[in-house]
Amino acid sequence: MNKNNKTEQASNTPHRVQLVLPGGGAYGEYTKSVLIEFLSLPEVQNGDVIITGVTGTSAGAINGALLTSALNEGGPQLAIARLNDFWKDIRNANPFASSANIGNLFALNREDSFPNLPRAWCIANEIMSPEHLFPGTTLRSLKSLLKKHIPDLKTLQKGPADLVINALRARDNKEVIFTGNDLNHDTLIASCALADLKGHVIEGELYYDGGYSSNPHMDTLKRANFDSILAICPVPDSGRAFDKESFSLFGAFNKHSFKVDRSILNVLDKLEQSKDTDYTIHRIELKGEKHWNRSTLFRTDPKWLDFLEGHGQKDWARFCNDNQNQASSSKVFPFTRNIA
């Protein structure tokens, strides 16, 4: 948390928060859970705390879009409902639940313990999957859900809460930033279009998941106005190098390096050490188990998502209590309360 934080604020001036939401596949459920706890704070509900911006990648871009569109349309209560409804639909549309549960009966080694997808299932999926039979199925289904939950793109493009997302342009491997009028259902899909899913084409241009470039994009924060950064970091500190693990969900050769690692923490460390910032930086990090592997990013059955939801609630409570214990310090997140 930055030492140069301005602790004195006019009582009638809302505290402005910038959210940082990295990607992480199914771990977006964890991010959603923390967001709902944050949105439920009385200070957020009554407008003493406002979200002025969100930067997100992949699942973080999806959660950010659901959040900002609802805030711009109706406020925190609508945002809570929209996030919950979307992830309920993810549970209902889950393509992995039955096959993963059956596959647990044929686990080939001890690493196949929950929540890892069973090794037998992964091997079978390398040979035949819905993407093999019907290419584009996953992203088309996701786009349909986004259209359902964000029917009015104007609420995504304009309003007091700004959204910034990113994707990788295939032809030159350059990061592309989407914000304002560039935000739509297709650019959201581009931000989470893994190479395993063949990417996503917009007006003849092929894009891949923004996590191949940065997770998430942070440079625009230098030009933003806010009092605090709250980063929700869902990729677990499990002792396993997620970004180096060779796991291809749909059997496609992935020539890119997907940054589902915790490099965002290094970015936040550098911002904290900078003397040019006048905001505090706070983070909530998921602590995982050592046996968790990268397959957990793709597991969306209710048992796993419920687990992540509960983990997010516990980590938010711990975050609030830790900050309450620093109440005399200028580093405290100024609107958290002891909720133990």
Side-chain angles (χ1 to χ4, degrees):
M1 287 161 278
N2 194 279
K3 298 179 181 179
N4 299 319
N5 178 48
K6 295 178 180 178
T7 57
E8 297 296 328
Q9 262 189 302
S11 58
N12 61 345
T13 302
H15 186 93
R16 301 164 301 172
V17 175
Q18 168 75 40
L19 293 175
V20 174
L21 308 179
Y27 289 93
E29 171 70 38
Y30 174 90
T31 298
K32 180 224 74 173
S33 176
V34 174
L35 287 174
I36 287 177
E37 294 298 313
F38 171 51
L39 291 166
S40 300
L41 286 175
E43 295 88 341
V44 177
Q45 293 285 322
N46 64 26
D48 289 339
V49 173
I50 59 174
I51 298 170
T52 55
V54 180
T55 180
T57 294
S58 198
I62 298 299
N63 277 326
L66 295 165
L67 172 66
T68 55
S69 64
L71 289 176
N72 291 337
E73 180 180 346
Q77 281 300 121
L78 181 59
I80 291 172
R82 186 162 292 177
L83 285 163
N84 270 328
D85 289 346
F86 175 85
W87 282 94
K88 285 179 182 177
D89 278 353
I90 289 292
R91 283 170 165 79
N92 294 334
N94 160 52
F96 303 124
S98 59
S99 58
N101 291 334
I102 293 172
N104 276 325
L105 299 175
F106 304 98
L108 302 183
N109 58 41
R110 296 182 62 184
E111 281 195 344
D112 286 297
S113 58
F114 179 84
N116 298 339
L117 284 171
R119 183 64 55 85
W121 185 93
C122 294
I123 293 173
N125 208 55
E126 292 285 346
I127 302 171
M128 180 174 293
S129 72
E131 284 296 317
H132 284 98
L133 299 175
F134 308 103
T137 298
T138 303
L139 294 182
R140 282 196 299 270
S141 298
L142 182 57
K143 185 176 178 180
S144 294
L145 284 180
L146 289 173
K147 286 183 175 181
K148 173 184 175 181
H149 293 282
I150 309 176
D152 185 0
L153 289 175
K154 292 181 180 178
T155 63
L156 188 64
Q157 298 166 345
K158 296 180 180 179
D162 294 326
L163 175 65
V164 175
I165 66 174
N166 65 325
L168 183 74
R169 189 168 55 207
R171 63 179 165 86
D172 54 7
N173 282 341
K174 296 294 184 181
E175 182 179 37
V176 177
I177 306 304
F178 299 110
T179 190
N181 291 334
D182 291 331
L183 293 168
N184 54 54
H185 302 118
D186 279 305
T187 52
L188 288 171
I189 292 298
S191 184
C192 55
L194 294 171
D196 302 274
L197 300 175
K198 315 302 183 186
H200 186 62
V201 177
I202 304 176
E203 297 180 350
E205 195 80 68
L206 176 63
Y207 295 93
Y208 290 120
D209 192 302
Y212 296 124
S213 52
S214 58
N215 189 21
H217 176 80
M218 295 287 287
D219 289 345
T220 54
L221 298 189
K222 300 174 184 177
R223 300 189 295 273
N225 295 316
F226 48 84
D227 303 303
S228 293
I229 286 178
L230 177 60
I232 304 173
C233 307
V235 176
D237 178 16
S238 62
R240 180 182 291 275
F242 272 51
D243 56 323
K244 295 180 180 178
E245 188 172 325
S246 58
F247 178 89
S248 177
L249 182 63
F250 298 115
F253 174 69
N254 186 348
K255 64 181 179 180
H256 301 289
S257 174
F258 183 47
K259 297 179 180 178
V260 290
D261 56 15
R262 293 161 63 81
S263 58
I264 180 60
L265 301 182
N266 296 328
V267 175
L268 295 174
D269 288 342
K270 291 180 180 178
L271 286 175
E272 283 184 336
Q273 296 165 8
S274 172
K275 297 181 180 180
D276 298 327
T277 57
D278 59 354
Y279 49 81
T280 56
I281 299 173
H282 307 267
R283 63 192 76 180
I284 298 177
E285 305 171 32
L286 172 63
K287 303 295 183 182
E289 301 294 334
K290 289 185 177 181
H291 74 277
W292 293 5
N293 65 31
R294 190 170 180 253
S295 73
T296 58
L297 292 162
F298 305 96
R299 182 165 198 157
T300 56
D301 56 291
K303 179 181 179 181
W304 175 227
L305 295 183
D306 289 345
F307 178 89
L308 289 173
E309 181 180 44
H311 221 308
Q313 293 167 348
K314 292 177 183 177
D315 286 352
W316 172 258
R318 186 180 302 111
F319 170 76
C320 291
N321 293 334
D322 288 348
N323 274 270
Q324 184 69 21
N325 292 334
Q326 300 184 56
S328 61
S329 169
S330 63
K331 296 180 178 182
V332 70
F333 204 32
F335 45 83
T336 53
R337 298 166 293 115
N338 191 319
I339 57 176

